[in-house]
Amino acid sequence: MQHEIVTRDEWVAARRALLAKEKAMTRARDELSAERRKLPWVRIDKQYFFDGPEGRLSLSDLFQGRSQLFIKHFMMGPGQVHHCVGCSFELDNADSVIVHLENHDVSYVAVARAPLAEIEALKRRMGWRARFVSSFGSDFNYDFNVSYTPEQLAAKRAVYNFAPLDFEIEDLSGDSVFYKDDDGLIFHTYSTFGRGGEQFLGTYGFLDVMPKGRNENGPFHLLADWVRPHDMYGKGGMVEPTGRYHPADCGCGKHA
């Protein structure tokens, strides 16, 4: 790995110049965060229900007595056996901070369209502690533009990340935020998709200061280049352009 080698004084001068840019970026991020909090809200009048280990749950139930709710839209449809490495990576990163979120008025819940039994099997395998519920049979995923009907896809009417979806896939990833006021009214305040979810990946904070950076050099030039379900590192397999991981022995033919 070739790199310029300098004296300590030269390094300090270069570091101070970079620090000024870092401080400007920090201030810009604070301003953007404040602008994000000023977004108008949408009142949620529609009833949504989910299946959890304790039974049927409403959207209001997912708040668990708190006023703020973060929902991870997990890319997992019914019968899906090849799971999204990005969604799994996000849950890995969230698991260690949930206790802090919950003690600061934020509930974290992952939601997937797969039936609860399939979700519970994946959760046990991965050892996740995050609350994870099923929206199977609900309009929730469709209304928040992370799942699509065959008719939507065929008619090119699917929308993702606030723009027309240019490929066919029934389920995608995202993150949404909700607020519940003292009267029990629920509001949708924010959603983000695609690379917008990187802000919830603490691992990138470490990689971005390392000499090799994110080291995502292909074929996708994003996390799918290297991230695997945490129990699959060193076991081969491959990742589709959609982000779904295939173990080496799955026999589907995609990586023969």
Side-chain angles (χ1 to χ4, degrees):
M1 184 175 176
Q2 297 295 318
H3 211 81
E4 182 183 8
I5 306 300
V6 298
T7 66
R8 172 61 59 177
D9 288 344
E10 290 172 322
W11 181 87
V12 169
R15 180 66 189 91
R16 284 176 172 165
L18 180 62
L19 179 60
K21 294 181 179 181
E22 289 176 336
K23 287 180 176 292
M25 182 176 176
T26 297
R27 288 191 290 269
R29 184 177 62 241
D30 289 344
E31 292 171 3
L32 181 62
S33 295
E35 189 173 345
R36 183 186 296 121
R37 291 191 296 272
K38 291 179 182 177
L39 275 172
W41 296 354
V42 177
R43 180 173 165 176
I44 304 296
D45 293 316
K46 189 172 182 177
Q47 289 290 318
Y48 294 106
F49 291 96
F50 308 85
D51 294 321
E54 63 273 69
R56 197 176 193 221
L57 301 165
S58 67
L59 181 60
S60 181
D61 292 331
L62 299 187
F63 283 81
Q64 296 180 281
R66 301 178 181 92
S67 70
Q68 301 171 105
L69 172 64
F70 183 103
I71 284 187
K72 168 62 193 166
H73 301 290
F74 196 99
M75 181 178 152
M76 181 181 177
Q80 184 177 313
V81 296
H82 301 115
H83 302 115
C84 171
V85 294
C87 292
S88 297
F89 191 41
E90 196 169 324
L91 249 69
D92 286 344
N93 278 263
D95 245 18
S96 63
V97 302
I98 288 174
V99 63
H100 304 290
L101 294 175
E102 290 179 342
N103 281 278
H104 205 51
D105 197 30
V106 176
S107 288
Y108 182 104
V109 181
V111 176
R113 199 168 56 88
L116 183 63
E118 296 175 14
I119 288 173
E120 288 285 281
L122 178 63
K123 184 178 177 180
R124 283 193 301 271
R125 177 192 134 198
M126 302 301 287
W128 290 323
R129 293 171 292 176
R131 192 180 180 96
F132 203 155
V133 301
S134 169
S135 63
F136 183 74
S138 162
D139 292 335
F140 184 77
N141 281 46
Y142 299 100
D143 289 351
F144 286 89
N145 294 312
V146 288
S147 293
Y148 311 97
T149 65
E151 292 75 21
Q152 281 180 302
L153 295 172
K156 307 296 183 183
R157 289 188 286 105
V159 172
Y160 183 66
N161 203 11
F162 311 104
L165 180 66
D166 59 1
F167 59 94
E168 291 193 6
I169 186 170
E170 290 187 350
D171 296 277
L172 281 167
S173 170
D175 303 278
S176 290
V177 177
F178 301 86
Y179 177 78
K180 183 164 67 170
D181 68 13
D182 292 340
D183 295 322
L185 300 178
I186 297 174
F187 303 87
H188 176 214
T189 69
Y190 182 71
S191 283
T192 191
F193 309 91
R195 289 193 65 184
E198 288 183 4
Q199 61 192 305
F200 313 121
L201 300 176
T203 302
Y204 271 156
F206 291 93
L207 293 179
D208 285 344
V209 302
M210 302 308 295
K212 290 186 177 181
R214 299 187 181 188
N215 202 25
E216 295 171 345
N217 299 318
F220 307 117
H221 301 285
L222 43 77
L223 62 80
D225 289 343
W226 66 278
V227 172
R228 299 293 181 266
H230 62 241
D231 61 344
M232 290 293 165
Y233 281 113
K235 297 182 180 179
M238 58 83 70
V239 177
E240 294 182 56
T242 60
R244 290 174 174 166
Y245 172 75
H246 293 247
D249 60 354
C250 78
C252 72
K254 285 184 176 290
H255 44 82

